[in-house]
Amino acid sequence: MIAVKNPPALHTVPLAELPPGARARVVSVAPLDDRHAPPEVGRRLAEIGFLPGEAVRVLARGLLARDPIAVRVGTATFALRRFEAACVRVHPEPALS
């Protein structure tokens, strides 16, 4: 019998926590709870391209590192509010040297 090791769990963080210039891959999209984001926010984010496996990059943050967060997904650029970016779980990619 061959023992199959479970793949290591991906380290995921909310997109809202990445610094400008960071690159990552989308793992999942789901609202945190109804108090912070209605359920349709997750659907809207998926419709505009935040799908598992997609490459994303944080381009910039608003004044005092707050809203909005400029994010590139694929070839499109979007301005997300922090609560929207918090709905997107990503796996950070190593920084390019």
Side-chain angles (χ1 to χ4, degrees):
M1 178 176 254
I2 299 173
V4 177
K5 290 184 179 180
N6 290 334
L10 289 177
H11 168 71
T12 65
V13 297
L15 179 59
E17 293 182 9
L18 293 181
R23 295 174 184 268
R25 293 256 171 211
V26 175
V27 174
S28 64
V29 178
L32 300 173
D33 58 48
D34 289 339
R35 290 187 333 247
H36 295 98
E40 54 272 1
V41 170
R43 185 176 53 246
R44 179 184 157 269
L45 291 168
E47 287 172 354
I48 63 174
F50 290 89
L51 299 169
E54 277 298 321
V56 296
R57 182 167 50 124
V58 176
L59 301 176
R61 291 183 166 272
L63 195 60
L64 300 175
R66 307 271 309 170
D67 286 337
I69 301 171
V71 179
R72 174 157 295 152
V73 58
T75 59
T77 302
F78 299 97
L80 301 178
R81 292 171 281 187
R82 282 183 41 220
F83 83 85
E84 293 170 319
C87 296
V88 181
R89 298 291 299 185
V90 297
H91 173 66
E93 293 186 343
L96 299 174
S97 354

